[in-house]
Amino acid sequence: MKLYSDAALAKILDKPVFHQISDIADRLGVACYVVGGYVRDIFLERPSNDIDVVVVGSGIEVASALKKSMGRKAHLSVFRNFGTAQVKVRDQEIEFVGARKESYSHDSRKPIVEDGTLEDDQNRRDFTINAMAICLNKDRYGELVDPFNGIADLEDGIIATPLNPEVTFSDDPLRMMRCIRFATQLNFQIEEETFDALQRMADRIKIVSGERIEVELNKIIMAPHPSIGFEYLQRSGLLQIVLPELSALDIVEKRDGKAHKNNFYHTLEVLENVVKVAPDAPLWLRWAALLHDIGKTKSKRWEPKVGWTFHNHNCIGARMVPEIFRRLKLPMGAEMRFVQKLVGLHMRPQAIADDGVTDSAVRRLLNDAGDDIDELMCLCEADITSKNEVRKQLFLENFRMVREKLADLKEKDYKRLLQPVIDGNEIMEMFHLSPSREVGVLKQYLKDAVLDNRVENERDPLLCLLKEKARAMGLIL
């Protein structure tokens, strides 16, 4: 990996704000350093607007002086309980904190914090690549302080802890999720001793709240290659704790010479396919890909004449989605319903492709998927991971035909086209009914007729059908 030259680093640090902080630090007689992710991202050539500054002294005092020198264009927020302050200027945030050392109790992530030195502050950092600091004081301006050789780990693509990884992870178990998240985002390897500690300490993740785990999972799933993270989570033992339904798919059973595929690695392939086809795929489509087969563990059956089957795994999986979202503190509103819908429907396009692409089947699919049809088709095409190229091409060709019919329906305004013009209120009024099973039967009868394209969605032909059905049900003579 090519890292910045000294000249390029000097150019980065030539920002006026760094010189302002330098002047203030020297005037107040305190040592001041840019630290953490901003330093890492300088060397990785990644854009970053969030700057962390450690002051060996009062970070709040330096932040207040910077706000005063910047005037009205800057906004200052002070958090005295934490000894931190933030100066925000347009889209840039500068966080100031006094150098500190931390100690932890076994059953809590909340540290006991004391004033400390720069060395203390770097010792408490999570990973070597996040423990580098650049001095802002004039006599040492731009000097890199790198006690754990983070530069070498950046060059080698390694995630490692500054101190004993067991201590690092025991103190703050969320760092285990962050370790895998950084490895995923940066496409780095986790150093062997660090990974061994992940496996030994995995159980400590149980003291971390669902909200904190959710944040890290979402960052992993939004990475360019999210499968890296989920494979690390599985190998480390963390996935069995935070998302056991997905972990349980990592099994292959064989009976009478017949084995089913490993549905965990199939799921990762589907997730990668979604990202490959749509690099900007939204978070909840990626979650749908991750959870689309979670029902297979509960639905798996051995049928001697057929082999392994997973009947109705899509419906079972859809019923599992709300509990997973609730446990991980994911949003329970439209986002959850979207994932649940896609998990429940993901077999439908494949069934259409298997059985033949009929107008009726496509109309029903569009009616059930609604505005989420494009995301559903993206997921279903990503789900074609067969190694049989002939079968794969047949599916893709049939999916192309499905897409053509869907496009035709959408062009004709499918919402108007597929909803019968006679609704439940009119049915009740027509036959003097109150809300009841009979009303539901009549509504569904009309809807089936429209979806199957047996009649045009117009009042007169639907009225004839409705009266026939009502007569058969004994509602009219």
Side-chain angles (χ1 to χ4, degrees), residues 82-125:
F82 300 98
T84 65
Q86 182 190 83
V87 176
K88 187 167 184 178
V89 186
R90 292 183 290 277
D91 62 343
Q92 190 162 74
E93 295 179 1
I94 309 166
E95 191 89 22
F96 291 85
V97 63
R100 58 192 185 183
K101 55 183 176 181
E102 298 175 345
S103 56
Y104 292 79
S105 62
H106 182 75
D107 59 349
S108 174
R109 287 184 58 243
K110 294 181 179 178
I112 299 168
V113 179
E114 304 173 73
D115 291 341
T117 63
L118 175 65
E119 181 182 3
D120 290 326
D121 200 273
Q122 289 177 302
N123 285 342
R124 73 179 182 83
R125 298 278 162 176

Side-chain angles (χ1 to χ4, degrees), residues 149-165:
N149 216 1
I151 278 287
D153 285 345
L154 279 180
E155 290 174 333
D156 294 338
I158 295 293
I159 303 292
T161 58
L163 304 176
N164 183 331

Side-chain angles (χ1 to χ4, degrees), residues 126-354:
D126 49 9
F127 307 110
T128 61
I129 63 172
N130 295 334
M132 296 181 288
I134 295 174
C135 187
L136 294 180
N137 295 89
K138 288 241 177 344
D139 59 341
R140 295 168 54 208
Y141 193 83
E143 178 185 315
L144 178 65
V145 183
D146 184 17
F148 306 109
N149 216 1
I151 278 287
D153 285 345
L154 279 180
E155 290 174 333
D156 294 338
I158 295 293
I159 303 292
T161 58
L163 304 176
N164 183 331
E166 281 203 13
V167 174
T168 298
F169 294 148
S170 182
D171 282 350
D172 185 355
L174 185 64
R175 288 170 175 166
M176 294 188 288
M177 296 293 297
R178 284 169 56 82
C179 177
I180 291 174
R181 187 250 291 182
F182 280 121
T184 308
Q185 289 178 325
L186 302 176
N187 197 12
F188 279 19
Q189 297 290 315
I190 299 176
E191 181 259 342
E192 186 176 353
E193 185 181 347
T194 302
F195 186 76
D196 288 345
L198 277 180
Q199 293 178 304
R200 290 193 299 272
M201 306 300 295
D203 203 55
R204 285 279 287 156
I205 201 67
K206 291 177 181 176
I207 73 167
V208 179
S209 69
E211 291 92 342
R212 294 294 186 121
I213 291 171
E214 171 213 343
V215 169
E216 297 302 324
L217 279 177
N218 285 342
K219 289 179 179 179
I220 290 170
I221 204 171
M222 287 303 292
H225 293 287
S227 65
I228 295 171
F230 286 99
E231 187 169 356
Y232 268 132
L233 286 169
Q234 177 68 350
R235 287 174 49 211
S236 66
L238 286 165
L239 195 64
Q240 291 90 318
I241 299 168
V242 301
L243 195 47
E245 299 86 349
L246 180 61
S247 175
L249 297 176
D250 189 8
I251 188 173
V252 175
E253 286 193 63
K254 190 172 184 179
R255 191 179 292 186
D256 295 346
K258 294 181 179 179
H260 61 78
K261 65 188 172 188
N262 185 306
N263 287 301
F264 174 73
Y265 285 98
H266 162 73
T267 294
L268 298 192
E269 189 176 355
V270 173
L271 179 56
E272 287 291 326
N273 286 345
V274 166
V275 177
K276 182 179 179 181
V277 172
D280 296 328
L283 175 64
W284 305 113
L285 175 56
R286 296 179 187 221
W287 266 104
L290 192 69
L291 301 181
H292 81 284
D293 272 352
I294 52 166
K296 282 191 170 178
T297 303
K298 292 185 177 181
S299 66
K300 184 168 69 174
R301 298 290 183 273
W302 169 255
E303 298 180 11
K305 293 183 179 179
V306 180
W308 294 103
T309 65
F310 302 92
H311 297 312
N312 294 320
H313 73 272
N314 53 316
C315 300
I316 293 170
R319 290 197 293 270
M320 294 166 68
V321 168
E323 173 53 32
I324 291 171
F325 267 56
R326 192 174 294 111
R327 187 180 70 240
L328 291 175
K329 309 301 182 185
L330 291 161
M332 295 298 295
E335 299 89 347
M336 186 278 291
R337 292 191 294 273
F338 170 83
V339 173
Q340 187 177 34
K341 178 196 281 190
L342 262 62
V343 171
L345 290 177
H346 82 269
M347 293 298 292
R348 284 275 293 280
Q350 190 168 326
I352 292 173
D354 262 337

Side-chain angles (χ1 to χ4, degrees), residues 4-102:
Y4 268 109
S5 66
D6 290 342
L9 178 59
K11 184 177 179 181
I12 292 288
L13 290 176
D14 201 32
K15 288 187 174 184
V17 68
F18 288 131
H19 290 288
Q20 285 179 281
I21 296 171
S22 179
D23 290 339
I24 291 166
D26 283 355
R27 188 174 76 244
L28 295 175
V30 294
C32 210
Y33 302 85
V34 184
V35 297
Y38 190 83
V39 177
R40 177 198 69 227
D41 288 342
I42 286 175
F43 293 113
L44 289 175
E45 303 188 32
R46 296 196 334 160
S48 179
N49 286 323
D50 297 337
I51 301 171
D52 290 326
V53 175
V54 163
V55 179
V56 184
S58 171
I60 293 175
E61 187 178 7
V62 176
S64 301
L66 179 63
K67 156 65 176 124
K68 186 175 180 181
S69 71
M70 286 183 158
R72 299 174 65 179
K73 65 181 179 181
H75 176 75
L76 173 68
S77 301
V78 176
F79 310 96
R80 294 197 180 277
N81 288 345
F82 300 98
T84 65
Q86 182 190 83
V87 176
K88 187 167 184 178
V89 186
R90 292 183 290 277
D91 62 343
Q92 190 162 74
E93 295 179 1
I94 309 166
E95 191 89 22
F96 291 85
V97 63
R100 58 192 185 183
K101 55 183 176 181
E102 298 175 345

